[in-house]
Amino acid sequence: MSNSQHPTEREPAPVQSVDRAITILELLARTEAGITEIAAELGVHKSTASRLVHTLKSRRLVEQHGERGRFSLGMGMMRFTGAVAGQLDIVQIGNPVCEELAERLGETVNVAVLDATDTINVSQARGSSAVAAQNWIGQRTPSHATASGKALLALASPDELDDLLSGELVSYTPRTITDAEELREVLKKTAEDGYATCFEELEPGLHAIAVPVVGPGDDAVAAISAAGPAYRLSKKRIPEVVEELRRGARDLADRMAYLSR
């Protein structure tokens, strides 16, 4: 044990450290504070509080006013507030778009966003013909095995694509694409066609078609998809479904642009 560590205090476990870091951020969201106050709030020795605060400071989540000054939330927090606000906007305006599309197509319609190598569904509506009761909202799905994921990856940066292809492409059904070069070719064609398909690649009997929602700078800010059973959402319906999804994607993009004015 080092001389600087309180004799009755053990090094916090990783989960405990996360909890303490969040407590610090919550405290600084209310008021500026010094190490003594932060330590008192956590109920730990000042040396432990100092280590936690300076770790947050190194990631710009916390900033210090003067060499020995008090601490407040840092500009790095804007990365999270901006991301959350953006996703909340998509949820808020995505729901009516999903409902309109679901009514026209009769299938389940989702809006999804890319998060690292996964895709997260943020809005959903079920059409009159939809029989599945599964709720996909908030669920992470593997981008390489979903239509929304492929629609997003087709317009992703080279770094994002390299991150995905650097890991194992897990097989979910016999039709899942697990070869990196094959996936690159599929994504290239997806970018050219402007839509992505997923025919029994995530679940047997499940088909899906998706198009990107393009924002400023031609970046894909989301994807909108229709999913249904293979016997109903057949390959013959691709032109019809793609046309409806593109209309919905333009509507969603227009609503997001209006909201950001």
PDB file of all heavy atoms in Angstrom, residues 149-185:
ATOM      1  N   GLY A 149     -28.065  -2.061 -41.669  1.00  0.00           N
ATOM      2  CA  GLY A 149     -26.623  -1.999 -41.443  1.00  0.00           C
ATOM      3  C   GLY A 149     -25.853  -1.872 -42.736  1.00  0.00           C
ATOM      4  O   GLY A 149     -24.926  -1.056 -42.850  1.00  0.00           O
ATOM      5  N   LYS A 150     -26.238  -2.637 -43.737  1.00  0.00           N
ATOM      6  CA  LYS A 150     -25.535  -2.570 -45.014  1.00  0.00           C
ATOM      7  C   LYS A 150     -25.787  -1.239 -45.737  1.00  0.00           C
ATOM      8  O   LYS A 150     -24.887  -0.702 -46.389  1.00  0.00           O
ATOM      9  CB  LYS A 150     -25.937  -3.758 -45.893  1.00  0.00           C
ATOM     10  CG  LYS A 150     -25.319  -5.074 -45.412  1.00  0.00           C
ATOM     11  CD  LYS A 150     -25.519  -6.204 -46.399  1.00  0.00           C
ATOM     12  CE  LYS A 150     -26.846  -6.862 -46.231  1.00  0.00           C
ATOM     13  NZ  LYS A 150     -27.002  -8.092 -47.044  1.00  0.00           N
ATOM     14  N   ALA A 151     -27.006  -0.706 -45.604  1.00  0.00           N
ATOM     15  CA  ALA A 151     -27.294   0.584 -46.214  1.00  0.00           C
ATOM     16  C   ALA A 151     -26.437   1.682 -45.597  1.00  0.00           C
ATOM     17  O   ALA A 151     -25.978   2.596 -46.291  1.00  0.00           O
ATOM     18  CB  ALA A 151     -28.779   0.917 -46.032  1.00  0.00           C
ATOM     19  N   LEU A 152     -26.202   1.591 -44.278  1.00  0.00           N
ATOM     20  CA  LEU A 152     -25.373   2.579 -43.588  1.00  0.00           C
ATOM     21  C   LEU A 152     -23.895   2.377 -43.890  1.00  0.00           C
ATOM     22  O   LEU A 152     -23.160   3.334 -44.132  1.00  0.00           O
ATOM     23  CB  LEU A 152     -25.620   2.499 -42.082  1.00  0.00           C
ATOM     24  CG  LEU A 152     -26.992   3.013 -41.624  1.00  0.00           C
ATOM     25  CD1 LEU A 152     -27.282   2.559 -40.205  1.00  0.00           C
ATOM     26  CD2 LEU A 152     -27.047   4.528 -41.714  1.00  0.00           C
ATOM     27  N   LEU A 153     -23.447   1.137 -43.871  1.00  0.00           N
ATOM     28  CA  LEU A 153     -22.030   0.851 -44.112  1.00  0.00           C
ATOM     29  C   LEU A 153     -21.616   1.188 -45.539  1.00  0.00           C
ATOM     30  O   LEU A 153     -20.460   1.529 -45.791  1.00  0.00           O
ATOM     31  CB  LEU A 153     -21.722  -0.618 -43.820  1.00  0.00           C
ATOM     32  CG  LEU A 153     -21.717  -1.031 -42.349  1.00  0.00           C
ATOM     33  CD1 LEU A 153     -21.538  -2.544 -42.228  1.00  0.00           C
ATOM     34  CD2 LEU A 153     -20.616  -0.317 -41.589  1.00  0.00           C
ATOM     35  N   ALA A 154     -22.561   1.098 -46.472  1.00  0.00           N
ATOM     36  CA  ALA A 154     -22.242   1.391 -47.875  1.00  0.00           C
ATOM     37  C   ALA A 154     -21.804   2.842 -48.050  1.00  0.00           C
ATOM     38  O   ALA A 154     -21.061   3.163 -48.979  1.00  0.00           O
ATOM     39  CB  ALA A 154     -23.445   1.091 -48.755  1.00  0.00           C
ATOM     40  N   LEU A 155     -22.256   3.720 -47.135  1.00  0.00           N
ATOM     41  CA  LEU A 155     -21.883   5.137 -47.207  1.00  0.00           C
ATOM     42  C   LEU A 155     -20.986   5.547 -46.046  1.00  0.00           C
ATOM     43  O   LEU A 155     -20.746   6.737 -45.832  1.00  0.00           O
ATOM     44  CB  LEU A 155     -23.143   6.011 -47.214  1.00  0.00           C
ATOM     45  CG  LEU A 155     -24.101   5.822 -48.394  1.00  0.00           C
ATOM     46  CD1 LEU A 155     -25.272   6.785 -48.286  1.00  0.00           C
ATOM     47  CD2 LEU A 155     -23.386   6.010 -49.728  1.00  0.00           C
ATOM     48  N   ALA A 156     -20.494   4.558 -45.308  1.00  0.00           N
ATOM     49  CA  ALA A 156     -19.651   4.858 -44.140  1.00  0.00           C
ATOM     50  C   ALA A 156     -18.243   5.240 -44.581  1.00  0.00           C
ATOM     51  O   ALA A 156     -17.834   5.008 -45.722  1.00  0.00           O
ATOM     52  CB  ALA A 156     -19.595   3.651 -43.217  1.00  0.00           C
ATOM     53  N   SER A 157     -17.503   5.813 -43.650  1.00  0.00           N
ATOM     54  CA  SER A 157     -16.120   6.187 -43.935  1.00  0.00           C
ATOM     55  C   SER A 157     -15.265   4.925 -44.035  1.00  0.00           C
ATOM     56  O   SER A 157     -15.627   3.875 -43.486  1.00  0.00           O
ATOM     57  CB  SER A 157     -15.580   7.072 -42.819  1.00  0.00           C
ATOM     58  OG  SER A 157     -15.434   6.318 -41.615  1.00  0.00           O
ATOM     59  N   PRO A 158     -14.120   5.007 -44.722  1.00  0.00           N
ATOM     60  CA  PRO A 158     -13.229   3.839 -44.808  1.00  0.00           C
ATOM     61  C   PRO A 158     -12.817   3.317 -43.432  1.00  0.00           C
ATOM     62  O   PRO A 158     -12.704   2.105 -43.241  1.00  0.00           O
ATOM     63  CB  PRO A 158     -12.021   4.382 -45.585  1.00  0.00           C
ATOM     64  CG  PRO A 158     -12.581   5.499 -46.398  1.00  0.00           C
ATOM     65  CD  PRO A 158     -13.640   6.129 -45.548  1.00  0.00           C
ATOM     66  N   ASP A 159     -12.625   4.210 -42.470  1.00  0.00           N
ATOM     67  CA  ASP A 159     -12.229   3.783 -41.121  1.00  0.00           C
ATOM     68  C   ASP A 159     -13.324   2.964 -40.453  1.00  0.00           C
ATOM     69  O   ASP A 159     -13.043   1.947 -39.808  1.00  0.00           O
ATOM     70  CB  ASP A 159     -11.900   5.000 -40.243  1.00  0.00           C
ATOM     71  CG  ASP A 159     -10.582   5.643 -40.623  1.00  0.00           C
ATOM     72  OD1 ASP A 159      -9.786   4.979 -41.330  1.00  0.00           O
ATOM     73  OD2 ASP A 159     -10.351   6.798 -40.228  1.00  0.00           O
ATOM     74  N   GLU A 160     -14.582   3.418 -40.579  1.00  0.00           N
ATOM     75  CA  GLU A 160     -15.693   2.669 -39.991  1.00  0.00           C
ATOM     76  C   GLU A 160     -15.809   1.290 -40.625  1.00  0.00           C
ATOM     77  O   GLU A 160     -16.053   0.297 -39.934  1.00  0.00           O
ATOM     78  CB  GLU A 160     -16.999   3.444 -40.174  1.00  0.00           C
ATOM     79  CG  GLU A 160     -17.120   4.671 -39.288  1.00  0.00           C
ATOM     80  CD  GLU A 160     -18.363   5.464 -39.589  1.00  0.00           C
ATOM     81  OE1 GLU A 160     -18.654   5.685 -40.786  1.00  0.00           O
ATOM     82  OE2 GLU A 160     -19.040   5.873 -38.644  1.00  0.00           O
ATOM     83  N   LEU A 161     -15.629   1.233 -41.926  1.00  0.00           N
ATOM     84  CA  LEU A 161     -15.723  -0.046 -42.614  1.00  0.00           C
ATOM     85  C   LEU A 161     -14.566  -0.960 -42.221  1.00  0.00           C
ATOM     86  O   LEU A 161     -14.757  -2.160 -42.003  1.00  0.00           O
ATOM     87  CB  LEU A 161     -15.741   0.173 -44.131  1.00  0.00           C
ATOM     88  CG  LEU A 161     -16.055  -1.054 -44.991  1.00  0.00           C
ATOM     89  CD1 LEU A 161     -17.366  -1.685 -44.571  1.00  0.00           C
ATOM     90  CD2 LEU A 161     -16.094  -0.665 -46.455  1.00  0.00           C
ATOM     91  N   ASP A 162     -13.379  -0.399 -42.109  1.00  0.00           N
ATOM     92  CA  ASP A 162     -12.220  -1.189 -41.687  1.00  0.00           C
ATOM     93  C   ASP A 162     -12.406  -1.742 -40.282  1.00  0.00           C
ATOM     94  O   ASP A 162     -11.992  -2.868 -39.992  1.00  0.00           O
ATOM     95  CB  ASP A 162     -10.942  -0.346 -41.747  1.00  0.00           C
ATOM     96  CG  ASP A 162     -10.491  -0.082 -43.175  1.00  0.00           C
ATOM     97  OD1 ASP A 162     -10.946  -0.802 -44.075  1.00  0.00           O
ATOM     98  OD2 ASP A 162      -9.701   0.861 -43.383  1.00  0.00           O
ATOM     99  N   ASP A 163     -13.045  -0.949 -39.390  1.00  0.00           N
ATOM    100  CA  ASP A 163     -13.301  -1.425 -38.027  1.00  0.00           C
ATOM    101  C   ASP A 163     -14.186  -2.663 -38.051  1.00  0.00           C
ATOM    102  O   ASP A 163     -13.945  -3.631 -37.319  1.00  0.00           O
ATOM    103  CB  ASP A 163     -13.986  -0.329 -37.194  1.00  0.00           C
ATOM    104  CG  ASP A 163     -13.013   0.745 -36.757  1.00  0.00           C
ATOM    105  OD1 ASP A 163     -11.796   0.494 -36.817  1.00  0.00           O
ATOM    106  OD2 ASP A 163     -13.462   1.827 -36.371  1.00  0.00           O
ATOM    107  N   LEU A 164     -15.213  -2.635 -38.874  1.00  0.00           N
ATOM    108  CA  LEU A 164     -16.109  -3.787 -38.974  1.00  0.00           C
ATOM    109  C   LEU A 164     -15.389  -5.004 -39.529  1.00  0.00           C
ATOM    110  O   LEU A 164     -15.468  -6.102 -38.981  1.00  0.00           O
ATOM    111  CB  LEU A 164     -17.305  -3.452 -39.870  1.00  0.00           C
ATOM    112  CG  LEU A 164     -18.206  -4.660 -40.209  1.00  0.00           C
ATOM    113  CD1 LEU A 164     -18.952  -5.144 -38.967  1.00  0.00           C
ATOM    114  CD2 LEU A 164     -19.193  -4.310 -41.307  1.00  0.00           C
ATOM    115  N   LEU A 165     -14.639  -4.794 -40.600  1.00  0.00           N
ATOM    116  CA  LEU A 165     -14.019  -5.920 -41.280  1.00  0.00           C
ATOM    117  C   LEU A 165     -12.780  -6.442 -40.556  1.00  0.00           C
ATOM    118  O   LEU A 165     -12.256  -7.494 -40.904  1.00  0.00           O
ATOM    119  CB  LEU A 165     -13.660  -5.528 -42.708  1.00  0.00           C
ATOM    120  CG  LEU A 165     -14.858  -5.129 -43.577  1.00  0.00           C
ATOM    121  CD1 LEU A 165     -14.405  -4.762 -44.971  1.00  0.00           C
ATOM    122  CD2 LEU A 165     -15.868  -6.262 -43.636  1.00  0.00           C
ATOM    123  N   SER A 166     -12.313  -5.710 -39.546  1.00  0.00           N
ATOM    124  CA  SER A 166     -11.149  -6.180 -38.786  1.00  0.00           C
ATOM    125  C   SER A 166     -11.517  -7.290 -37.810  1.00  0.00           C
ATOM    126  O   SER A 166     -10.655  -8.030 -37.354  1.00  0.00           O
ATOM    127  CB  SER A 166     -10.515  -5.017 -38.007  1.00  0.00           C
ATOM    128  OG  SER A 166     -11.402  -4.540 -37.009  1.00  0.00           O
ATOM    129  N   GLY A 167     -12.792  -7.386 -37.481  1.00  0.00           N
ATOM    130  CA  GLY A 167     -13.237  -8.428 -36.553  1.00  0.00           C
ATOM    131  C   GLY A 167     -13.898  -9.574 -37.291  1.00  0.00           C
ATOM    132  O   GLY A 167     -14.015  -9.582 -38.522  1.00  0.00           O
ATOM    133  N   GLU A 168     -14.359 -10.534 -36.515  1.00  0.00           N
ATOM    134  CA  GLU A 168     -15.025 -11.702 -37.096  1.00  0.00           C
ATOM    135  C   GLU A 168     -16.431 -11.328 -37.546  1.00  0.00           C
ATOM    136  O   GLU A 168     -17.172 -10.665 -36.828  1.00  0.00           O
ATOM    137  CB  GLU A 168     -15.107 -12.827 -36.060  1.00  0.00           C
ATOM    138  CG  GLU A 168     -15.822 -14.073 -36.568  1.00  0.00           C
ATOM    139  CD  GLU A 168     -16.048 -15.105 -35.475  1.00  0.00           C
ATOM    140  OE1 GLU A 168     -15.739 -14.793 -34.299  1.00  0.00           O
ATOM    141  OE2 GLU A 168     -16.520 -16.197 -35.790  1.00  0.00           O
ATOM    142  N   LEU A 169     -16.805 -11.769 -38.738  1.00  0.00           N
ATOM    143  CA  LEU A 169     -18.161 -11.584 -39.228  1.00  0.00           C
ATOM    144  C   LEU A 169     -18.956 -12.833 -38.834  1.00  0.00           C
ATOM    145  O   LEU A 169     -18.831 -13.888 -39.445  1.00  0.00           O
ATOM    146  CB  LEU A 169     -18.160 -11.381 -40.744  1.00  0.00           C
ATOM    147  CG  LEU A 169     -17.413 -10.143 -41.247  1.00  0.00           C
ATOM    148  CD1 LEU A 169     -17.432 -10.082 -42.762  1.00  0.00           C
ATOM    149  CD2 LEU A 169     -18.014  -8.871 -40.662  1.00  0.00           C
ATOM    150  N   VAL A 170     -19.748 -12.688 -37.806  1.00  0.00           N
ATOM    151  CA  VAL A 170     -20.446 -13.837 -37.217  1.00  0.00           C
ATOM    152  C   VAL A 170     -21.551 -14.329 -38.144  1.00  0.00           C
ATOM    153  O   VAL A 170     -22.269 -13.532 -38.764  1.00  0.00           O
ATOM    154  CB  VAL A 170     -21.039 -13.452 -35.849  1.00  0.00           C
ATOM    155  CG1 VAL A 170     -21.814 -14.627 -35.243  1.00  0.00           C
ATOM    156  CG2 VAL A 170     -19.933 -13.011 -34.906  1.00  0.00           C
ATOM    157  N   SER A 171     -21.696 -15.639 -38.228  1.00  0.00           N
ATOM    158  CA  SER A 171     -22.750 -16.243 -39.041  1.00  0.00           C
ATOM    159  C   SER A 171     -23.996 -16.463 -38.190  1.00  0.00           C
ATOM    160  O   SER A 171     -23.923 -17.036 -37.104  1.00  0.00           O
ATOM    161  CB  SER A 171     -22.261 -17.581 -39.613  1.00  0.00           C
ATOM    162  OG  SER A 171     -23.300 -18.218 -40.333  1.00  0.00           O
ATOM    163  N   TYR A 172     -25.140 -15.984 -38.690  1.00  0.00           N
ATOM    164  CA  TYR A 172     -26.410 -16.172 -37.989  1.00  0.00           C
ATOM    165  C   TYR A 172     -27.306 -17.182 -38.693  1.00  0.00           C
ATOM    166  O   TYR A 172     -28.139 -17.821 -38.056  1.00  0.00           O
ATOM    167  CB  TYR A 172     -27.127 -14.827 -37.859  1.00  0.00           C
ATOM    168  CG  TYR A 172     -26.349 -13.855 -37.001  1.00  0.00           C
ATOM    169  CD1 TYR A 172     -25.410 -12.990 -37.566  1.00  0.00           C
ATOM    170  CD2 TYR A 172     -26.516 -13.826 -35.627  1.00  0.00           C
ATOM    171  CE1 TYR A 172     -24.675 -12.102 -36.783  1.00  0.00           C
ATOM    172  CE2 TYR A 172     -25.779 -12.952 -34.828  1.00  0.00           C
ATOM    173  CZ  TYR A 172     -24.860 -12.106 -35.412  1.00  0.00           C
ATOM    174  OH  TYR A 172     -24.109 -11.260 -34.632  1.00  0.00           O
ATOM    175  N   THR A 173     -27.130 -17.292 -39.994  1.00  0.00           N
ATOM    176  CA  THR A 173     -27.834 -18.301 -40.786  1.00  0.00           C
ATOM    177  C   THR A 173     -26.863 -18.743 -41.885  1.00  0.00           C
ATOM    178  O   THR A 173     -25.816 -18.109 -42.086  1.00  0.00           O
ATOM    179  CB  THR A 173     -29.106 -17.732 -41.459  1.00  0.00           C
ATOM    180  OG1 THR A 173     -28.733 -16.919 -42.589  1.00  0.00           O
ATOM    181  CG2 THR A 173     -29.937 -16.917 -40.467  1.00  0.00           C
ATOM    182  N   PRO A 174     -27.189 -19.785 -42.620  1.00  0.00           N
ATOM    183  CA  PRO A 174     -26.315 -20.189 -43.729  1.00  0.00           C
ATOM    184  C   PRO A 174     -26.134 -19.112 -44.792  1.00  0.00           C
ATOM    185  O   PRO A 174     -25.199 -19.167 -45.584  1.00  0.00           O
ATOM    186  CB  PRO A 174     -27.042 -21.411 -44.304  1.00  0.00           C
ATOM    187  CG  PRO A 174     -27.827 -21.965 -43.151  1.00  0.00           C
ATOM    188  CD  PRO A 174     -28.276 -20.757 -42.388  1.00  0.00           C
ATOM    189  N   ARG A 175     -27.002 -18.115 -44.803  1.00  0.00           N
ATOM    190  CA  ARG A 175     -26.922 -17.070 -45.822  1.00  0.00           C
ATOM    191  C   ARG A 175     -26.175 -15.819 -45.353  1.00  0.00           C
ATOM    192  O   ARG A 175     -26.000 -14.872 -46.125  1.00  0.00           O
ATOM    193  CB  ARG A 175     -28.332 -16.669 -46.270  1.00  0.00           C
ATOM    194  CG  ARG A 175     -29.076 -17.814 -46.933  1.00  0.00           C
ATOM    195  CD  ARG A 175     -30.296 -17.328 -47.660  1.00  0.00           C
ATOM    196  NE  ARG A 175     -30.954 -18.406 -48.374  1.00  0.00           N
ATOM    197  CZ  ARG A 175     -31.950 -18.257 -49.225  1.00  0.00           C
ATOM    198  NH1 ARG A 175     -32.398 -17.037 -49.485  1.00  0.00           N
ATOM    199  NH2 ARG A 175     -32.499 -19.281 -49.828  1.00  0.00           N
ATOM    200  N   THR A 176     -25.752 -15.770 -44.110  1.00  0.00           N
ATOM    201  CA  THR A 176     -25.011 -14.607 -43.615  1.00  0.00           C
ATOM    202  C   THR A 176     -23.678 -14.474 -44.347  1.00  0.00           C
ATOM    203  O   THR A 176     -22.955 -15.459 -44.516  1.00  0.00           O
ATOM    204  CB  THR A 176     -24.728 -14.740 -42.104  1.00  0.00           C
ATOM    205  OG1 THR A 176     -25.950 -14.978 -41.411  1.00  0.00           O
ATOM    206  CG2 THR A 176     -24.100 -13.462 -41.563  1.00  0.00           C
ATOM    207  N   ILE A 177     -23.354 -13.268 -44.772  1.00  0.00           N
ATOM    208  CA  ILE A 177     -22.068 -13.014 -45.425  1.00  0.00           C
ATOM    209  C   ILE A 177     -20.985 -12.929 -44.352  1.00  0.00           C
ATOM    210  O   ILE A 177     -21.020 -12.054 -43.495  1.00  0.00           O
ATOM    211  CB  ILE A 177     -22.103 -11.722 -46.244  1.00  0.00           C
ATOM    212  CG1 ILE A 177     -23.171 -11.807 -47.327  1.00  0.00           C
ATOM    213  CG2 ILE A 177     -20.733 -11.434 -46.862  1.00  0.00           C
ATOM    214  CD1 ILE A 177     -23.398 -10.511 -48.084  1.00  0.00           C
ATOM    215  N   THR A 178     -20.023 -13.837 -44.404  1.00  0.00           N
ATOM    216  CA  THR A 178     -18.940 -13.861 -43.410  1.00  0.00           C
ATOM    217  C   THR A 178     -17.569 -13.633 -44.021  1.00  0.00           C
ATOM    218  O   THR A 178     -16.568 -13.605 -43.303  1.00  0.00           O
ATOM    219  CB  THR A 178     -18.943 -15.208 -42.655  1.00  0.00           C
ATOM    220  OG1 THR A 178     -18.819 -16.283 -43.606  1.00  0.00           O
ATOM    221  CG2 THR A 178     -20.226 -15.389 -41.854  1.00  0.00           C
ATOM    222  N   ASP A 179     -17.517 -13.473 -45.332  1.00  0.00           N
ATOM    223  CA  ASP A 179     -16.251 -13.203 -46.012  1.00  0.00           C
ATOM    224  C   ASP A 179     -16.109 -11.699 -46.221  1.00  0.00           C
ATOM    225  O   ASP A 179     -16.994 -11.051 -46.811  1.00  0.00           O
ATOM    226  CB  ASP A 179     -16.205 -13.934 -47.356  1.00  0.00           C
ATOM    227  CG  ASP A 179     -14.910 -13.669 -48.098  1.00  0.00           C
ATOM    228  OD1 ASP A 179     -13.892 -14.272 -47.741  1.00  0.00           O
ATOM    229  OD2 ASP A 179     -14.936 -12.816 -49.024  1.00  0.00           O
ATOM    230  N   ALA A 180     -15.016 -11.124 -45.751  1.00  0.00           N
ATOM    231  CA  ALA A 180     -14.829  -9.675 -45.777  1.00  0.00           C
ATOM    232  C   ALA A 180     -14.834  -9.119 -47.196  1.00  0.00           C
ATOM    233  O   ALA A 180     -15.441  -8.078 -47.464  1.00  0.00           O
ATOM    234  CB  ALA A 180     -13.534  -9.297 -45.064  1.00  0.00           C
ATOM    235  N   GLU A 181     -14.167  -9.787 -48.104  1.00  0.00           N
ATOM    236  CA  GLU A 181     -14.102  -9.278 -49.473  1.00  0.00           C
ATOM    237  C   GLU A 181     -15.458  -9.370 -50.161  1.00  0.00           C
ATOM    238  O   GLU A 181     -15.830  -8.488 -50.939  1.00  0.00           O
ATOM    239  CB  GLU A 181     -13.038 -10.055 -50.267  1.00  0.00           C
ATOM    240  CG  GLU A 181     -11.619  -9.765 -49.797  1.00  0.00           C
ATOM    241  CD  GLU A 181     -11.337  -8.261 -49.707  1.00  0.00           C
ATOM    242  OE1 GLU A 181     -11.629  -7.540 -50.694  1.00  0.00           O
ATOM    243  OE2 GLU A 181     -10.854  -7.797 -48.656  1.00  0.00           O
ATOM    244  N   GLU A 182     -16.204 -10.432 -49.876  1.00  0.00           N
ATOM    245  CA  GLU A 182     -17.550 -10.553 -50.443  1.00  0.00           C
ATOM    246  C   GLU A 182     -18.439  -9.426 -49.923  1.00  0.00           C
ATOM    247  O   GLU A 182     -19.216  -8.834 -50.674  1.00  0.00           O
ATOM    248  CB  GLU A 182     -18.157 -11.903 -50.084  1.00  0.00           C
ATOM    249  CG  GLU A 182     -19.557 -12.101 -50.676  1.00  0.00           C
ATOM    250  CD  GLU A 182     -20.190 -13.427 -50.256  1.00  0.00           C
ATOM    251  OE1 GLU A 182     -19.519 -14.236 -49.587  1.00  0.00           O
ATOM    252  OE2 GLU A 182     -21.369 -13.634 -50.614  1.00  0.00           O
ATOM    253  N   LEU A 183     -18.296  -9.120 -48.637  1.00  0.00           N
ATOM    254  CA  LEU A 183     -19.094  -8.046 -48.062  1.00  0.00           C
ATOM    255  C   LEU A 183     -18.731  -6.702 -48.684  1.00  0.00           C
ATOM    256  O   LEU A 183     -19.601  -5.876 -48.953  1.00  0.00           O
ATOM    257  CB  LEU A 183     -18.905  -7.997 -46.545  1.00  0.00           C
ATOM    258  CG  LEU A 183     -19.718  -6.927 -45.810  1.00  0.00           C
ATOM    259  CD1 LEU A 183     -21.212  -7.147 -46.015  1.00  0.00           C
ATOM    260  CD2 LEU A 183     -19.390  -6.929 -44.323  1.00  0.00           C
ATOM    261  N   ARG A 184     -17.439  -6.481 -48.927  1.00  0.00           N
ATOM    262  CA  ARG A 184     -17.029  -5.223 -49.573  1.00  0.00           C
ATOM    263  C   ARG A 184     -17.700  -5.078 -50.941  1.00  0.00           C
ATOM    264  O   ARG A 184     -18.140  -3.985 -51.321  1.00  0.00           O
ATOM    265  CB  ARG A 184     -15.514  -5.182 -49.735  1.00  0.00           C
ATOM    266  CG  ARG A 184     -14.747  -4.893 -48.447  1.00  0.00           C
ATOM    267  CD  ARG A 184     -13.267  -4.708 -48.745  1.00  0.00           C
ATOM    268  NE  ARG A 184     -12.481  -4.579 -47.532  1.00  0.00           N
ATOM    269  CZ  ARG A 184     -12.282  -3.432 -46.883  1.00  0.00           C
ATOM    270  NH1 ARG A 184     -12.830  -2.313 -47.349  1.00  0.00           N
ATOM    271  NH2 ARG A 184     -11.548  -3.392 -45.789  1.00  0.00           N
ATOM    272  N   GLU A 185     -17.766  -6.160 -51.690  1.00  0.00           N
ATOM    273  CA  GLU A 185     -18.396  -6.115 -53.011  1.00  0.00           C
ATOM    274  C   GLU A 185     -19.890  -5.844 -52.895  1.00  0.00           C
ATOM    275  O   GLU A 185     -20.459  -5.084 -53.689  1.00  0.00           O
ATOM    276  CB  GLU A 185     -18.157  -7.445 -53.748  1.00  0.00           C
ATOM    277  CG  GLU A 185     -16.722  -7.645 -54.196  1.00  0.00           C
ATOM    278  CD  GLU A 185     -16.255  -6.519 -55.125  1.00  0.00           C
ATOM    279  OE1 GLU A 185     -17.016  -6.171 -56.057  1.00  0.00           O
ATOM    280  OE2 GLU A 185     -15.146  -5.994 -54.922  1.00  0.00           O
TER     281      GLU A 185
END
